[in-house]
Amino acid sequence: MTKTRGYAALAARAELAPFEFERRALRDTDIGFRIDFAGICHSDIHQVREEWGSALFPMVPGHEIVGTVTSIGSKVTSFKVGDSIGVGVFIDSCRECTNCLNGLQQYCLEGMTGTYNGYERNSQNVAFGGYSNYFVIEEGYAVKVPSNLDPAGVAPLLCAGITLYSPIKHWKVGPTSKVAVMGLGGLGHMGVKFAAALGAEVTVFSHSAHKEADAKAMGAAHFIVTKGDDWHKPLRKKFDLILNTVSADLDLDPYLSTLATDGTLVIIGLPGKPYAINAGTMLDGRRSIAGSMIGGMPELQEMLNFCGAKSIVSDVEVIKADYINQAYERTVASDVKYRFVIDASSF
Ligand code: NAP
Ligand code: ZN
Ligand code: ZN
């Protein structure tokens, strides 16, 4: 067992505070690593605040984890001490179902084992996440981090990055695509960078007018402020793919009206309440609504390699642990540029 320092919420909606706990002793196929940086995902906030239903406390959130390997189990073959390592939204899965065998561990038929807010697989051990200074991960659920990238900017790739990369790949975004990204936050800004890197014409739908210059610097060609009743009318039937990363409840209908014939709006943001769908808008143009959740282990590594080759990282504001609660407030207020990342040496 290894004594570990982190930050936890002791109860739903409580402020996060310093917290000590033990990580499990290394098994043969485990890797122990010092956490260097941990991103703050809006999903952390949803769970601390029980916006998705009841949660497990004390909770150490954090599923965008980058670190440096400090020890390996006797059967570990793909990592050595000193390597850069990343862990994302899940730490295990059944490894036997068709989805796991196809590298879609996020859709494991038995349910993926989340990095926190639950138990380690087939165990009574609470899974504590990345807002901490040390981690233990089974080798098959860790990825290699390209050495040319700034590790603080890499941390958000482990959730925000893969969550946009996966649908962008699945819906085959390329140079002829017209893509719109809803919400320029942690996830959305990665969607802009990836779609632009693949040659698409990217539009950002934002309710924050002041983000326009940033969006364009990230690769967006157009920036639409979604204020008033008419913003969507000039954009009718324009986009092949809309990536909805908005964390708040929203009327989807104006956005759906901007989908081209056979276009798809992918739901990625996960607010607590169901969406209302206007059947007429869906019928007109054979439009689709789909969903997408993070990505599997092979795609996570593919995304990091793509980022290494293209020098893509997240735009981050690095903070110390004692700023986490303020970072939560600023994230909820859409005041994020464009991901808060905790310097884990401050735990
Ligand atoms: P974030 O950094 O807070 O970004 C969300 C953005 O949504 C904000 O920056 C804002 O962009 C927009 N927004 C917020 N409130 C709004 C409102 N009332 N009306 C219109 N737009 C609003 O959050 P994130 O970390 O990117 O996460 C986004 C969502 O994705 C969360 O719900 C999270 O739980 C979910 N998520 C899903 C997956 C998955 O696998 N599908 C993975 C990770 C996270 P503008 O200021 O530009 O409008
Ligand atoms: Zn996340
Ligand atoms: Zn499985």
Side-chain angles (χ1 to χ4, degrees), residues 39 63 185 300:
H63 59 208
L300 189 58

Side-chain angles (χ1 to χ4, degrees), residues 31-37 65-72 79-86 133-135 145 151:
I31 299 163
F33 69 92
R34 178 189 78 227
I35 297 180
D36 295 322
F37 295 98
I65 309 168
V66 165
T68 306
V69 175
T70 51
S71 52
I72 56 171
F79 285 86
K80 58 183 190 319
V81 171
D83 284 353
S84 281
I85 185 170
N133 62 356
Y134 175 71
F135 207 84
V145 173

